[in-house]
Amino acid sequence: MFSWLRSDDRRRKDPEVFQTVSEGLKKLYRTKLLPLEEHYRFHEFHSPALEDADFDNKPMVLLVGQYSTGKTTFIRYLLEQDFPGMRIGPEPTTDSFIAVMQGEVEGIIPGNALVVDPKKPFRKLNAFGNAFLNRFVCAQLPNPVLESISVIDTPGILSGEKQRISRDNRKLFEAEEQDLFRDIQSLPRNAALRKLNDLIKRARLAKVHAYIISSLKKEMPSVFGKDNKKKELVNNLAEIYGQIEREHQISPGDFPNLKRMQDQLQAQDFSKFQPLKSKLLEVVDDMLAHDIAQLMVLVRQEETQRPAQIVKGGAFEGTLHGPFGHGYGEGAGEGIDDAEWVVARDKPMYDEIFYTLSPVDGKITGANAKKEMVRSKLPNSVLGKIWKLADIDKDGMLDDEEFALANHLIKVKLEGHELPNELPAHLIPPSKRKATE
């Protein structure tokens, strides 16, 4: 539990006590920023009011792109299992927006039911009506990957020509693959900081919006000529922006898009706008100056207490062939048609290392093997998978053939290929093939 005292005369004497960053963000939004937004009709111009689900829900990964480029296949690859509503085919198959989320029981929630669920961050989508909601569903299933993130599958975008990847670009493509995996895996670690950053940006925009609306209200006549004055103000909105920027020392980057704001103002009744209410703005300034700074401290404390906030399970364990496999006879499939054991090519080199690791009765211990394997700098989860594949007799030790196999699999992974879920028959050492049959 973390707390801090408000020492400013305008701040309460009782301490603010927040259990989590999410709790703090929700309370600050409801008590300090939301009143300003409501007073100046922020939600009609920019985005709907935030709800608890917007602060509580997991990071979301939205997949967009041409049809038949593997969006749905990629989700299945990450989860290492099918999900409700999944359809994969050579031509356009996904015709709905599918939110793939964690759930205790597999099933599909239709769009109209989904947007009334206060625990889901989709209530604002109700504004799009049945035309959209009839093609929006939530696929729920228990999966370790979905404990940390949610994924949105989308209908493919039609294009006149499909993208083609030359094999000359393979290394670049593999490097991009690893970067993508790292980015997705780190999403939970940075979730609280991103939500904090988004609230700050929203607060800055809400302040500017309040100045714009109050300035327009101030210039409107009380009785006659309202329509003409409205047109004049809308046309001169750029000058109003400049005046607000100079008067309140606001960065030009904080202002909403000029053309879009002018279009939105056309349909507004300026007589319903509110004049400047300094107290509401002071509360938001106080939030940005003090509360946000304290929440930044809490973010760091949460990161220290939970340093391993990463996506786990599924493809993030470093196994399973998927859409990033590179074809027959490559990676773990190399040597599949050869009469000779493919690992034998490099075994003399691996043997030299093996005999420096103090083998006893022809085998080395797991601890000694680990000292060598960690030199690859592969994640422990990947090395653990390699160990399970290489320790064919499951005795917790490696003989020279098993050690050579482990190094071969390390090389396969370092070259950017995926590891097999089960050891292919052609990789089993010749001396152990009868025992595994």
Side-chain angles (χ1 to χ4, degrees):
M1 182 182 296
F2 305 94
S3 65
W4 58 84
L5 292 176
R6 298 169 175 256
S7 57
D8 193 290
D9 289 338
R10 292 179 290 105
R11 296 161 70 88
R12 297 184 309 184
K13 295 182 179 179
D14 296 332
E16 287 279 4
V17 180
F18 298 135
Q19 298 289 344
T20 65
V21 173
S22 178
E23 178 193 328
L25 290 172
K26 285 187 287 187
K27 186 171 183 180
L28 290 179
Y29 176 71
R30 287 194 304 264
T31 60
K32 298 198 171 186
L33 182 54
L34 183 58
L36 179 72
E37 292 182 353
E38 292 177 334
H39 193 70
Y40 293 104
R41 306 168 73 169
F42 178 88
H43 310 133
E44 297 178 27
F45 288 84
H46 302 289
S47 61
L50 299 178
E51 299 178 348
D52 287 355
D54 294 304
F55 297 101
D56 293 335
N57 269 270
K58 309 175 183 73
M60 287 188 179
V61 178
L62 176 69
L63 300 182
V64 294
Q66 293 174 238
Y67 70 87
S68 298
T69 52
K71 297 186 296 297
T72 304
T73 300
F74 180 61
I75 297 175
R76 190 199 179 284
Y77 171 59
L78 294 181
L79 304 182
E80 293 192 351
Q81 71 176 96
D82 294 346
F83 57 88
M86 182 188 80
R87 295 175 61 198
I88 296 176
E91 294 301 334
T93 50
T94 302
D95 60 355
S96 300
F97 291 82
I98 304 177
V100 187
M101 307 181 75
Q102 177 73 7
E104 295 182 1
V105 181
E106 283 197 23
I108 288 182
I109 303 175
N112 280 289
L114 196 57
V115 295
V116 297
D117 186 349
K119 294 183 179 179
K120 295 287 193 300
F122 304 121
R123 286 161 63 94
K124 303 176 191 67
L125 299 179
N126 188 54
F128 292 97
N130 284 330
F132 170 75
L133 298 179
N134 289 337
R135 295 188 177 275
F136 177 50
V137 299
C138 175
Q140 289 192 324
L141 68 158
N143 185 281
V145 172
L146 299 177
E147 292 176 2
S148 303
I149 60 173
S150 299
V151 188
I152 311 296
D153 196 9
T154 64
I157 301 170
L158 294 178
S159 177
E161 182 179 355
K162 293 184 181 180
Q163 295 176 339
R164 300 183 183 275
I165 300 295
S166 169
R167 291 187 62 81
D168 293 339
N169 295 328
R170 169 178 152 181
K171 290 299 181 184
L172 176 61
F173 190 71
E174 292 172 1
E176 291 288 345
E177 168 200 343
Q178 298 302 320
D179 286 343
L180 175 62
F181 259 54
R182 283 191 290 268
D183 289 344
I184 295 176
Q185 193 167 38
S186 67
L187 285 176
R189 181 183 301 130
N190 302 317
L193 189 58
R194 282 196 304 274
K195 291 175 183 176
L196 182 61
N197 184 63
D198 288 344
L199 186 68
I200 295 172
K201 290 194 297 183
R202 187 180 179 101
R204 293 166 69 94
L205 178 59
K207 283 183 56 182
V208 172
H209 178 78
Y211 285 129
I212 295 172
I213 296 301
S214 60
S215 295
L216 295 173
K217 174 67 175 180
K218 183 179 179 181
E219 297 296 325
M220 285 294 290
S222 57
V223 182
F224 300 110
K226 291 184 178 181
D227 289 342
N228 290 335
K229 187 63 176 179
K230 173 182 174 179
K231 292 179 182 178
E232 178 187 335
L233 291 173
V234 171
N235 291 333
N236 296 333
L237 188 60
E239 297 177 11
I240 296 174
Y241 274 21
Q243 181 181 348
I244 295 172
E245 179 185 337
R246 293 187 296 273
E247 183 177 348
H248 300 284
Q249 291 80 50
I250 297 174
S251 168
D254 286 348
F255 285 81
N257 178 270
L258 178 63
K259 180 64 168 61
R260 183 169 180 267
M261 192 67 176
Q262 287 175 320
D263 292 341
Q264 290 175 313
L265 286 171
Q266 298 285 358
Q268 294 289 330
D269 182 354
F270 283 22
S271 65
K272 295 182 179 179
F273 287 174
Q274 298 294 331
L276 188 66
K277 191 172 183 179
S278 299
K279 186 173 182 180
L280 288 174
L281 289 160
E282 289 171 0
V283 169
V284 174
D285 285 335
D286 180 69
M287 178 189 80
L288 293 171
H290 300 93
D291 297 302
I292 294 297
Q294 296 296 343
L295 275 182
M296 282 293 296
V297 175
L298 185 52
V299 167
R300 300 307 179 197
Q301 290 173 335
E302 285 190 356
E303 289 178 348
T304 302
Q305 292 176 347
R306 294 181 291 174
Q309 295 183 76
I310 58 174
V311 181
K312 298 179 181 179
F316 296 95
E317 299 301 327
T319 65
L320 188 68
H321 287 295
F324 297 131
H326 301 297
Y328 184 84
E330 299 183 16
E334 181 185 0
I336 191 170
D337 294 323
D338 296 349
E340 182 185 13
W341 186 39
V342 66
V343 182
R345 301 173 189 173
D346 297 318
K347 190 171 183 296
M349 177 179 64
Y350 299 142
D351 284 346
E352 290 183 13
I353 302 172
F354 179 80
Y355 288 107
T356 67
L357 299 176
S358 306
V360 177
D361 296 330
K363 294 190 175 186
I364 59 174
T365 64
N368 285 346
K370 181 179 180 181
K371 293 177 183 177
E372 179 62 29
M373 292 172 69
V374 295
R375 294 177 184 271
S376 68
K377 296 185 179 179
L378 289 172
N380 285 339
S381 59
V382 176
L383 292 177
K385 185 65 179 182
I386 290 173
W387 175 272
K388 291 178 181 178
L389 292 171
D391 185 14
I392 294 172
D393 53 16
K394 309 303 179 188
D395 64 351
M397 305 180 77
L398 299 181
D399 62 21
D400 61 312
E401 288 184 329
E402 292 171 326
F403 180 75
L405 173 59
N407 280 276
H408 178 78
L409 293 172
I410 287 174
K411 184 181 77 168
V412 166
K413 187 63 179 177
L414 289 176
E415 289 178 348
H417 300 283
E418 291 304 311
L419 295 173
N421 197 35
E422 296 182 0
L423 190 66
H426 74 281
L427 289 183
I428 299 175
S431 65
K432 294 180 170 57
R433 289 178 184 176
K434 290 184 179 180
T436 58
E437 291 177 355

